[in-house]
Amino acid sequence: MHMTKANLELLFKPKSIAIYGVSKDTNKIGFTIFSNLLASQFPGKIYPINPKYGELFGYKCFPNAVAVPEAVDLAIMAIPAQFALEVIADCAAKHVPNLVIISAGFKEVGPEGKALEDEVYKRAAEAGINVLGPNCLGLIVAQSKMNASFAANVIYPGNIAFGSQSGAVCSALLDMAGDSGLGFSDFVSLGNKGSINENDLLEIWLNSEAIKVIGLYLEEFVDGLDFVSSKVRLGKEKPIVVLNPGTSEAARSAMSSHTGSLAGSTAVIDAALAKNGISQVDTVSQAYNLLMAYSWLPLPAGKRVGIVTNAGGPGIIASDIVSAAGLEVAKLSSETEAALSTGLPATANIHNPVDIVGDAPAARYFHGLSVLLNSQDVDAILLILTPQLVTEIEDTAKLIVTLSKQSSKPIFPVFMGARYVQGGARRLLDNKLPVFTDIDDAVIALKHMHNYTKYLADKAKVSSLESFKQERRQQRLSEGELFAALAVDQLVPLSEAKVQELLTEFGIPFPASTVADNADAAVSFWQNLSQNLSQPGSQGASQPIVIKATTEDIVHKTEFKAIYTNINSEQELRDKFATLQAALREHTHKEQPQILLQQQVKAEEELFIGLKRDGASNVYNSEGRGFGHILLFGKGGIYTEVYQDIAKDLLPLSEEQLQNLISQTKVSQIIDGARGLKPLPRNALVDVLTKLQKLVITYPELAEIDINPVMLTASECLVVDAKLFVRG
Amino acid sequence: MHMTKANLELLFKPKSIAIYGVSKDTNKIGFTIFSNLLASQFPGKIYPINPKYGELFGYKCFPNAVAVPEAVDLAIMAIPAQFALEVIADCAAKHVPNLVIISAGFKEVGPEGKALEDEVYKRAAEAGINVLGPNCLGLIVAQSKMNASFAANVIYPGNIAFGSQSGAVCSALLDMAGDSGLGFSDFVSLGNKGSINENDLLEIWLNSEAIKVIGLYLEEFVDGLDFVSSKVRLGKEKPIVVLNPGTSEAARSAMSSHTGSLAGSTAVIDAALAKNGISQVDTVSQAYNLLMAYSWLPLPAGKRVGIVTNAGGPGIIASDIVSAAGLEVAKLSSETEAALSTGLPATANIHNPVDIVGDAPAARYFHGLSVLLNSQDVDAILLILTPQLVTEIEDTAKLIVTLSKQSSKPIFPVFMGARYVQGGARRLLDNKLPVFTDIDDAVIALKHMHNYTKYLADKAKVSSLESFKQERRQQRLSEGELFAALAVDQLVPLSEAKVQELLTEFGIPFPASTVADNADAAVSFWQNLSQNLSQPGSQGASQPIVIKATTEDIVHKTEFKAIYTNINSEQELRDKFATLQAALREHTHKEQPQILLQQQVKAEEELFIGLKRDGASNVYNSEGRGFGHILLFGKGGIYTEVYQDIAKDLLPLSEEQLQNLISQTKVSQIIDGARGLKPLPRNALVDVLTKLQKLVITYPELAEIDINPVMLTASECLVVDAKLFVRG
């Protein structure tokens, strides 16, 4: 959970800055930062710190921060890493609240550097110093006229704040922003982020009136739940754009900083960000385009896209791209089409995509655009211009500017080509309107904005983490012996008996089951079952059963033949029991291995339910870090791995969200009665999912639950094969 | 099949051009074309045709083409559509072999225009005139110094030929080419393409020594089989890039020119292009980037990508993108890593992605790039540059140029940013090397090139259309009555009896079946079956059967309860037979509807096989047009539509290609014995697929075959429910 850092706001608006590392050598980074501060017209005090000089470039120079006569709000270190502890001591003595460590040479160079870095954080924390970096570019804050970085880019003031774990991503974005005039308020290079991290930035930026949109490049999340719940916790809502690479194995091995399995985490992160209305992009350009769109355009109210184009071909391409993105090529009403036709030639296409034809002058764009902006049928507009013989490129740009100002609908101009469209494109940018060369770039940005609009509309329905925690049972009935084996770095399977105890505690239905270590006990279970269950309509006088190895004995050994189904006579049961027990004896080296017996259930559909925890078992407590549990649901049985038809979402999930999750899978079509099949009891399934959520919030030690199959019969939802694992 | 057009080469290298529509009005398109021809320094004769003038801009003007004293190789019409027939007559009288009709106002404006256009083609064909257009931009041929279009762009000479059904796509590409200096040999705007079409262009361009790569924007294929078999037919191999939009429903409705169902065709086209090594792209930018890469870079020998970057973050992003594209982040050998480490600082990452760190000067790029170019571990290189403080952007560009010239491996430079990288990017372009702003743009181009390399390696194995045709049976045993009902615009289902006849003719196994219109006949079928099949290991003394409605009676009525399974006693059979027959009586209004009886088969896996024909039943004959049949294979039963786990490919397919097709599906994992299951008889399945191919080449009247399920038992592959449809 989040702890607010004292005086962090002074990092963004310091009245005075001390710089370690300015010297006469203008090739040194210290000088670059000093000169960038001057160039950005920083209005506060600047104190070069260097014992070798009394004065530098007309500024009085100090041997250390303590020697500075006035308060220092921010210190910047641009001298070799080996001096870090001295700098911390100096800052501590001077009560400097914020320190930016530009220098590299810490954890990224090996164990020694890591030890030094840890010591830096420890001493800084003791002295109450917030550290940005080490191993970073610094930061730029437009409102404070402060370029406290070694990036020499011009920054246009604006309403975007950007933080990055990669200095290079900052450099590339700054260069793009310089070219298009996109304005930023803050640019923060996070570096190794052991002290100041993304969650600190979020707190500052969500609370800032000047900031409309937040962008972040993150290689890992310091505390996932804190990150995704920041907006709710602070009561502030803003679009956030996250670029978080590392879904591929190759990328994961490139991220040396990361330890442990990220495979699970990728699913967690995707689910967590989507659920909390945070846009996740895949490339630097996508991030840039989306920040630009959020910064300059109103949000679309819905997903119906009106397309205006001076060429049929690109209109067709656009229709494909819009549809593939899950948006809709708006169906125009007859009124809209009639309005369009009044100002367009007969050769034009008044159905969407609206083709105003190759010889269209600016006035025809004006007409098409005006009609669509005023139409009830359209939520956003994709305006496509190709540079043809008579195309009035600059005039078209001008009218887009004019009409944009009068409308609350976003217009996404796509000017295809390069040289001939440059002037028009520049005019749009100078008027704070985005422009795209590729249709797909525009549509990707629009898609993210539409998802955000949907999130805003639905977010009232989201169940909060706090209410979820209240579902936690006061008494943890099964606590005592249950978690005896809890280990911090190992998944420990629970025994069948313990699993049944927990399922029973939460009222989760499962077929009649027992464990037995001898054939007589097994036969007696089967006979009882047959007596109790034999009734008209059942499978005859005797009840078939399944016997299998227990979870403890067989976990991760799927190749081992450890299950016999459809056993329906005493002799068969005794034979199979003996065979299985013999095999298990060899496999486990136990003398009398236990065998699990279970009533055989006839499923209409076999499903899979999984739960996976990110973070330690204290993840829901105040000291915990991580995203918590995700729920996975989908097709079960032998097809689970083959089809991977599995939907995921972060806990907690309301009933409506659970219904939604189910609907995201393809197997839900079978549940709902595809092709004339009988619908299956979906609500029984939702009930099981709800109870499983209560189970893990009550016992967050449950790090992984794997139920395959969950059987949906004509009337019930039964958990047939549940494996539960705990971890500290 | 393709018919070569006489004198078409004169369209590309005319010695003399007549232009209808030049006048003193410099705003008219006729003047623009005239002045573009002059500006491009066309070395041949130019004859303005206009009865109103004796002379225009110093050129002698003629009242018509006949009046021109010398031969006219090419005429260009830029006067209103209404004069088209006069122009044709004039050209016919003058024996002009090629005519470009720039003018719009034909089929795109409605039925009257369509009638005029058809008449134009008819008369032109009679007179032996090839028509480009109508409704087009014209054409540009660099080698002939001929800009015979109304696009005023400068074209750099090069080895790319581009043809387009959309003039706007031409305009956009020309503008991009003008900016980056990418050279083209030919630029042809196809317009309505009723006479000269993409297949004519392919013939010219595949045969031209000057052309290395061909690009096409096509809204539909005039003759698919001709298109995809051009390279083999002409014995020429070149990369071809196709942009063919219209996969979405919205796009399809935007393509008013298209009639009939495109849904099927999209699958056909994808399969046909991929199979024949033709690259299919989704956007104009993708087309442009890929043409540039084919034009300027060598092909990669394999899929192992070496990444050199001066920033970790973009390296991670690149790893994700490379992996997602199905390429491989190359694993470097210890030798390569050792070679890298000699020239890199300790902070660098010598594992791929190779991170030469933010302070890398050009020399460090030189080292990293040289080592990877010389390494056996790498097939292609992605070079990422971010503009950081000390980055030597132009020097890095220079060394890329130097090293490119010495290597046979392609280098894909990605210069992230905008302004600061501009100079370096320009230097690459000027040296005919591509440069990308986005990693994904580079990777998409690389992926297509790699697929093409793979195609080149495998193409010897592809079975040719000609050898496929030889598989056609000489005698069409079932021909007579079978195709009595053949209609041109309607699918007609074949009766069960006819289906069984065909399956038997080709030796395709199906379960014992019969049709009966009375219960006694049904009972006798069941009794015979039980006698013949009852043996040790079978399902007891009696053999369960299935009864269902026949295809003719029930086609497209899936909701109607028309099947009873697992019938295993005479009484049950009589009861169900009566029930089904009564239901069908009501449904079909036949007195004694026929019922299909079939031995019940216990499947280990239910599969789906489909065949679909593009074009008419004469598609494989010389006058035929279309792609022919595609084969669809995948998961069957109730999950077919739910999972759409279906692979497709164009006929003919060799055994190896069929194995490949099967492997593309997820259900093949079950067939091959996923999760310890027993593998199923895959070869029996291949045998059925092979025989079905022979069936349709022998009877191409079979327009659609739909088999669901095909049952794979432990030992056999049985066609259980086959629906066959014919169309003319």
Side-chain angles (χ1 to χ4, degrees):
Chain A
M1 286 296 126
H2 191 74
M3 298 285 287
T4 299
K5 292 195 165 62
N7 298 314
L8 187 60
E9 68 288 352
L10 285 179
L11 173 65
F12 294 84
K13 21 185 145 166
K15 293 213 170 68
S16 53
I17 302 177
I19 312 173
Y20 298 85
V22 192
S23 73
K24 294 231 152 129
D25 184 347
T26 57
N27 286 320
K28 287 269 166 75
I29 283 183
F31 173 79
T32 307
I33 294 171
F34 173 75
S35 88
N36 281 344
L37 266 179
L38 296 181
S40 60
Q41 303 184 286
F42 177 66
K45 295 274 172 62
I46 303 175
Y47 305 112
I49 309 285
N50 192 332
K52 291 192 200 145
Y53 302 94
E55 183 255 310
L56 273 168
F57 310 104
Y59 280 72
K60 184 166 163 49
C61 193
F62 298 88
N64 49 48
V66 173
V68 173
E70 290 160 277
V72 172
D73 292 341
L74 169 60
I76 300 171
M77 168 176 161
I79 55 177
Q82 65 197 85
F83 301 110
L85 298 181
E86 278 177 52
V87 168
I88 294 278
D90 187 29
C91 288
K94 180 65 186 170
H95 301 293
V96 177
N98 295 291
L99 170 65
V100 178
I101 305 183
I102 303 289
S103 327
F106 292 88
K107 81 171 177 195
E108 73 280 5
V109 299
E112 239 175 279
K114 169 87 169 72
L116 175 61
E117 182 169 332
D118 288 345
E119 191 61 26
V120 164
Y121 296 141
K122 186 170 156 268
R123 297 201 192 172
E126 285 165 5
I129 303 170
N130 308 312
V131 177
L132 180 67
N135 189 20
C136 74
L137 279 184
L139 79 163
I140 308 175
V141 181
Q143 264 196 320
S144 306
K145 297 183 179 234
M146 172 177 76
N147 181 353
S149 82
F150 64 87
N153 306 63
V154 173
I155 171 168
Y156 297 91
N159 56 18
I160 305 172
F162 191 81
S164 175
Q165 248 181 287
S166 158
V169 170
C170 285
S171 308
L173 276 186
L174 280 166
D175 195 16
M176 292 156 91
D179 192 49
S180 62
L182 182 62
F184 283 77
S185 65
D186 300 6
F187 238 102
V188 178
S189 169
L190 280 162
N192 296 359
K193 70 170 189 184
S195 167
I196 296 172
N197 59 50
E198 65 272 19
N199 296 338
D200 301 311
L201 296 183
L202 273 191
E203 186 176 19
I204 296 280
W205 288 342
L206 285 168
N207 280 319
S208 159
E209 292 300 320
I211 288 166
K212 184 180 173 195
V213 45
I214 297 167
L216 289 159
Y217 170 89
L218 297 174
E219 288 177 11
E220 77 273 306
F221 293 82
V222 163
D223 181 358
L225 265 188
D226 183 20
F227 185 82
V228 296
S229 58
S230 288
K231 293 190 293 180
V232 171
R233 180 167 45 79
L234 300 169
K236 303 283 178 180
E237 183 57 58
K238 286 177 193 180
I240 301 175
V241 178
V242 171
L243 173 54
N244 167 240
T247 53
S248 68
E249 200 143 335
R252 262 175 275 153
S253 76
M255 289 196 290
S256 53
S257 64
H258 189 89
T259 56
S261 153
L262 196 78
S265 300
T266 302
V268 181
I269 292 165
D270 293 351
L273 298 187
K275 186 182 179 189
N276 289 284
I278 297 170
S279 308
Q280 202 180 3
V281 292
D282 298 324
T283 66
V284 174
S285 293
Q286 282 178 16
Y288 187 79
N289 287 332
L290 185 54
L291 291 172
M292 176 163 66
Y294 274 130
S295 176
W296 283 347
L297 292 179
L299 290 173
K303 65 173 173 179
R304 299 166 308 161
V305 182
I307 302 171
V308 186
T309 172
N310 69 341
I316 295 168
I317 297 173
S319 301
D320 275 347
I321 295 175
V322 165
S323 304
L327 301 167
E328 200 181 299
V329 177
K331 302 245 173 298
L332 301 183
S333 64
S334 50
E335 292 76 34
T336 304
E337 295 193 343
L340 280 169
S341 68
T342 61
L344 297 179
T347 48
N349 180 12
I350 55 168
H351 312 299
N352 199 17
V354 177
D355 182 357
I356 61 172
V357 201
D359 61 352
R364 221 184 277 164
Y365 268 109
F366 187 87
H367 178 72
L369 196 53
S370 306
V371 171
L372 291 190
L373 285 173
N374 289 322
S375 159
Q376 300 293 318
D377 316 329
V378 168
D379 300 311
I381 289 167
L382 197 61
L383 183 143
I384 299 170
L385 178 144
T386 58
Q388 305 196 41
L389 187 64
V390 300
T391 313
E392 297 168 353
I393 300 172
E394 286 199 35
D395 286 345
T396 304
K398 284 184 210 166
L399 71 88
I400 294 171
V401 172
T402 308
L403 290 176
S404 287
K405 287 190 184 143
Q406 298 163 10
S407 176
S408 59
K409 290 178 189 172
I411 304 172
F412 292 79
V414 180
F415 279 26
M416 297 177 81
R419 282 202 297 193
Y420 289 175
V421 298
Q422 224 164 49
R426 173 59 54 202
R427 195 170 287 273
L428 291 171
L429 292 170
D430 287 351
N431 283 282
K432 299 195 188 307
L433 283 176
V435 62
F436 304 88
T437 309
D438 294 346
I439 295 166
D440 52 346
D441 288 341
V443 173
I444 289 170
L446 172 53
K447 178 190 76 176
H448 283 296
M449 291 178 95
H450 169 251
N451 286 343
Y452 182 58
T453 308
K454 250 190 352 195
Y455 161 78
L456 292 178
D458 292 346
K459 79 176 174 153
K461 297 180 212 155
V462 171
S463 43
S464 78
L465 187 61
E466 290 315 308
S467 69
F468 179 49
K469 283 184 187 169
Q470 280 155 23
E471 305 222 345
R472 182 188 288 216
R473 301 210 167 184
Q474 288 309 309
Q475 262 193 300
R476 310 208 319 157
L477 295 174
S478 314
E479 188 166 20
E481 42 157 3
L482 200 60
F483 302 109
L486 209 61
V488 174
D489 47 9
Q490 202 192 341
L491 282 178
V492 178
L494 297 185
S495 71
E496 301 297 342
K498 287 176 187 167
V499 169
Q500 289 179 23
E501 193 182 326
L502 281 170
L503 294 178
T504 307
E505 183 183 338
F506 286 82
I508 298 166
F510 58 93
S513 304
T514 195
V515 285
D517 67 357
N518 65 81
D520 289 344
V523 169
S524 125
F525 169 77
W526 173 66
Q527 283 168 340
N528 277 333
L529 196 65
S530 297
Q531 259 165 13
N532 292 337
L533 296 176
S534 68
Q535 52 191 9
S538 89
Q539 298 183 40
S542 70
Q543 172 65 39
I545 63 169
V546 175
I547 68 169
K548 51 188 165 182
T550 64
T551 305
E552 289 160 299
D553 286 347
I554 209 65
V555 129
H556 301 316
K557 308 275 176 195
T558 46
E559 303 300 301
F560 182 75
K561 170 76 173 161
I563 182 161
Y564 293 96
T565 60
N566 221 19
I567 296 174
N568 213 356
S569 75
E570 181 176 338
Q571 193 50 48
E572 197 185 354
L573 176 54
R574 286 189 184 276
D575 288 353
K576 296 286 163 48
F577 193 95
T579 311
L580 182 53
Q581 207 171 30
L584 280 171
R585 197 171 291 128
E586 203 173 321
H587 184 71
T588 62
H589 308 295
K590 292 182 184 169
E591 241 173 76
Q592 287 288 94
Q594 292 221 312
I595 305 283
L596 174 64
L597 298 100
Q598 207 168 45
Q599 171 197 357
Q600 179 150 336
V601 177
K602 193 181 165 302
E604 298 295 325
E605 188 61 55
E606 299 191 3
L607 303 168
F608 163 77
I609 298 176
L611 284 138
K612 259 190 163 186
R613 190 188 72 209
D614 179 75
S617 60
N618 68 354
V619 65
Y620 299 116
N621 302 346
S622 58
E623 75 280 14
R625 288 184 164 207
F627 282 100
H629 287 87
I630 48 163
L631 177 64
L632 300 98
F633 166 78
K635 175 80 182 119
I638 61 166
Y639 297 108
T640 309
E641 279 144 51
V642 171
Y643 284 114
Q644 310 232 353
D645 174 27
I646 289 168
K648 317 171 185 77
D649 210 341
L650 191 72
L651 263 51
L653 295 162
S654 65
E655 193 190 312
E656 193 179 338
Q657 288 174 313
L658 288 173
Q659 293 283 10
N660 227 322
L661 186 79
I662 295 169
S663 297
Q664 281 171 39
T665 63
K666 292 177 177 163
V667 73
S668 67
Q669 299 170 36
I670 302 280
I671 297 174
D672 295 343
R675 301 188 68 200
L677 295 171
K678 236 174 95 174
L680 302 174
R682 188 168 167 145
N683 288 335
L685 172 62
V686 170
D687 185 56
V688 166
L689 292 170
T690 305
K691 287 169 172 168
L692 284 166
Q693 289 195 85
K694 284 191 195 164
L695 172 64
V696 298
I697 186 66
T698 304
Y699 298 104
E701 293 88 348
L702 290 165
E704 226 173 288
I705 295 181
D706 189 37
I707 311 179
N708 194 2
V710 177
M711 290 200 172
L712 214 48
T713 72
S715 60
E716 291 177 291
C717 178
L718 294 171
V719 163
V720 171
D721 198 352
K723 299 186 177 68
L724 275 62
F725 303 85
V726 291
R727 196 177 58 213
Chain B
M1 284 299 126
H2 190 74
M3 298 283 288
T4 299
K5 292 196 165 62
N7 298 313
L8 186 59
E9 68 287 352
L10 285 179
L11 172 66
F12 294 85
K13 21 185 146 165
K15 292 213 171 66
S16 53
I17 301 178
I19 313 174
Y20 299 85
V22 191
S23 73
K24 295 230 154 134
D25 184 348
T26 57
N27 286 321
K28 287 270 166 73
I29 283 183
F31 173 79
T32 307
I33 294 171
F34 174 75
S35 88
N36 280 344
L37 267 178
L38 297 182
S40 60
Q41 303 183 285
F42 176 66
K45 296 272 173 62
I46 303 176
Y47 305 110
I49 309 286
N50 194 330
K52 292 193 199 144
Y53 304 92
E55 183 255 311
L56 273 169
F57 310 104
Y59 279 73
K60 182 165 165 47
C61 192
F62 298 88
N64 48 49
V66 173
V68 173
E70 289 160 275
V72 172
D73 292 341
L74 169 61
I76 300 172
M77 167 177 161
I79 54 177
Q82 64 196 86
F83 302 109
L85 299 181
E86 279 177 51
V87 168
I88 295 277
D90 187 30
C91 288
K94 179 67 185 170
H95 301 294
V96 176
N98 295 291
L99 170 65
V100 178
I101 306 183
I102 302 289
S103 328
F106 292 88
K107 79 171 179 195
E108 72 281 5
V109 298
E112 239 175 282
K114 169 87 168 72
L116 175 60
E117 183 168 332
D118 288 345
E119 191 61 27
V120 163
Y121 296 140
K122 187 169 153 271
R123 297 201 193 173
E126 286 164 5
I129 303 171
N130 308 313
V131 177
L132 180 66
N135 189 19
C136 74
L137 278 184
L139 78 163
I140 308 176
V141 181
Q143 262 196 320
S144 306
K145 296 183 179 235
M146 173 177 77
N147 181 353
S149 83
F150 63 88
N153 307 62
V154 172
I155 170 169
Y156 296 91
N159 55 17
I160 305 173
F162 190 81
S164 175
Q165 249 181 287
S166 159
V169 170
C170 285
S171 308
L173 278 185
L174 280 166
D175 195 17
M176 292 156 91
D179 193 49
S180 61
L182 182 61
F184 282 77
S185 64
D186 300 6
F187 238 102
V188 178
S189 170
L190 280 162
N192 296 359
K193 69 172 189 182
S195 166
I196 295 172
N197 60 49
E198 65 272 19
N199 296 339
D200 301 310
L201 297 183
L202 274 192
E203 187 177 19
I204 296 281
W205 289 341
L206 284 168
N207 280 318
S208 159
E209 293 299 321
I211 289 166
K212 184 181 172 194
V213 46
I214 297 167
L216 289 159
Y217 170 90
L218 297 174
E219 288 177 11
E220 77 274 304
F221 292 82
V222 163
D223 181 358
L225 265 188
D226 183 22
F227 185 83
V228 296
S229 58
S230 289
K231 293 190 293 180
V232 171
R233 181 167 44 81
L234 300 168
K236 303 283 179 179
E237 183 57 58
K238 286 177 192 179
I240 300 175
V241 178
V242 171
L243 173 54
N244 166 238
T247 52
S248 68
E249 200 143 337
R252 262 175 276 152
S253 75
M255 287 194 291
S256 52
S257 65
H258 189 88
T259 56
S261 153
L262 196 79
S265 298
T266 302
V268 182
I269 293 165
D270 293 351
L273 298 187
K275 186 183 179 189
N276 289 284
I278 296 170
S279 308
Q280 202 180 2
V281 293
D282 298 324
T283 67
V284 175
S285 294
Q286 280 179 17
Y288 188 79
N289 287 331
L290 185 54
L291 291 172
M292 176 162 68
Y294 275 130
S295 176
W296 283 348
L297 292 179
L299 290 173
K303 66 173 174 181
R304 301 166 307 164
V305 183
I307 303 170
V308 185
T309 173
N310 69 341
I316 295 168
I317 296 172
S319 300
D320 275 347
I321 294 175
V322 165
S323 303
L327 301 167
E328 200 181 299
V329 178
K331 302 245 172 299
L332 302 183
S333 64
S334 51
E335 291 76 35
T336 304
E337 296 193 343
L340 280 170
S341 68
T342 60
L344 297 178
T347 48
N349 179 13
I350 55 168
H351 312 300
N352 198 14
V354 177
D355 183 357
I356 61 172
V357 200
D359 62 352
R364 221 184 277 164
Y365 269 108
F366 187 87
H367 178 72
L369 195 53
S370 306
V371 170
L372 291 190
L373 285 173
N374 290 321
S375 159
Q376 300 292 317
D377 315 330
V378 168
D379 301 310
I381 288 168
L382 197 61
L383 183 143
I384 299 171
L385 177 144
T386 58
Q388 305 197 41
L389 186 63
V390 300
T391 313
E392 297 168 354
I393 300 173
E394 287 199 35
D395 286 345
T396 304
K398 284 184 211 168
L399 71 88
I400 294 172
V401 172
T402 308
L403 289 176
S404 287
K405 287 189 183 144
Q406 297 164 9
S407 177
S408 59
K409 290 178 190 172
I411 303 172
F412 292 80
V414 180
F415 278 26
M416 297 178 81
R419 283 203 298 192
Y420 289 175
V421 298
Q422 226 163 48
R426 173 60 52 200
R427 195 172 286 273
L428 290 172
L429 292 170
D430 286 351
N431 283 281
K432 299 195 187 308
L433 283 177
V435 62
F436 304 88
T437 309
D438 294 345
I439 295 166
D440 49 348
D441 288 341
V443 173
I444 289 170
L446 172 53
K447 178 189 76 176
H448 283 295
M449 291 178 94
H450 169 251
N451 286 343
Y452 182 58
T453 308
K454 247 189 355 196
Y455 160 79
L456 292 178
D458 292 346
K459 78 176 174 154
K461 296 180 211 153
V462 171
S463 43
S464 79
L465 187 61
E466 290 315 308
S467 69
F468 178 48
K469 283 184 186 168
Q470 281 156 23
E471 305 222 344
R472 180 188 289 217
R473 301 209 168 185
Q474 287 309 310
Q475 260 193 301
R476 309 209 318 159
L477 295 174
S478 314
E479 188 166 22
E481 41 154 4
L482 200 60
F483 302 109
L486 208 61
V488 174
D489 46 9
Q490 202 192 339
L491 282 178
V492 177
L494 297 185
S495 71
E496 302 297 343
K498 287 175 186 167
V499 169
Q500 288 180 24
E501 194 182 326
L502 282 171
L503 294 177
T504 306
E505 185 184 338
F506 285 82
I508 298 166
F510 57 95
S513 304
T514 196
V515 285
D517 65 359
N518 65 81
D520 288 346
V523 168
S524 126
F525 168 78
W526 172 67
Q527 283 169 339
N528 277 333
L529 196 66
S530 296
Q531 259 166 12
N532 293 336
L533 296 176
S534 68
Q535 51 191 12
S538 87
Q539 297 183 40
S542 71
Q543 172 65 39
I545 65 168
V546 176
I547 68 170
K548 50 188 165 182
T550 64
T551 305
E552 288 160 300
D553 287 346
I554 208 66
V555 130
H556 301 316
K557 309 275 176 196
T558 46
E559 303 299 302
F560 182 75
K561 170 75 175 164
I563 182 163
Y564 293 96
T565 61
N566 221 18
I567 296 174
N568 214 355
S569 75
E570 181 177 336
Q571 193 49 49
E572 197 183 355
L573 176 54
R574 288 188 184 276
D575 288 353
K576 294 286 162 48
F577 193 94
T579 311
L580 182 54
Q581 209 172 29
L584 280 171
R585 197 171 290 127
E586 202 172 322
H587 183 72
T588 63
H589 307 296
K590 293 180 184 169
E591 241 172 75
Q592 287 288 96
Q594 293 220 310
I595 304 285
L596 175 64
L597 296 101
Q598 207 168 47
Q599 170 197 357
Q600 180 150 335
V601 177
K602 194 181 165 301
E604 298 295 325
E605 189 60 53
E606 299 191 1
L607 302 169
F608 162 77
I609 298 175
L611 284 137
K612 260 190 161 184
R613 190 188 72 210
D614 179 74
S617 60
N618 68 354
V619 64
Y620 299 115
N621 302 347
S622 58
E623 74 279 14
R625 287 184 166 209
F627 282 100
H629 287 86
I630 47 163
L631 177 65
L632 301 97
F633 166 78
K635 175 81 182 119
I638 61 166
Y639 297 108
T640 309
E641 278 144 50
V642 171
Y643 284 115
Q644 310 232 352
D645 173 27
I646 290 169
K648 316 170 186 77
D649 210 341
L650 191 72
L651 264 50
L653 295 162
S654 65
E655 194 191 312
E656 193 179 337
Q657 287 174 313
L658 288 173
Q659 294 282 10
N660 227 322
L661 185 79
I662 295 169
S663 298
Q664 282 170 39
T665 63
K666 292 178 178 163
V667 73
S668 68
Q669 298 170 37
I670 302 281
I671 297 174
D672 296 344
R675 301 188 67 200
L677 295 170
K678 234 175 96 176
L680 301 175
R682 188 169 167 146
N683 288 334
L685 171 62
V686 171
D687 186 55
V688 166
L689 292 170
T690 304
K691 287 170 172 169
L692 284 167
Q693 291 194 86
K694 284 191 195 166
L695 172 64
V696 298
I697 188 65
T698 304
Y699 297 104
E701 293 87 350
L702 290 164
E704 226 174 289
I705 295 181
D706 189 40
I707 311 178
N708 193 1
V710 176
M711 290 200 172
L712 213 48
T713 72
S715 61
E716 289 177 293
C717 178
L718 295 171
V719 163
V720 170
D721 199 351
K723 298 187 178 70
L724 275 60
F725 302 86
V726 291
R727 196 176 60 213

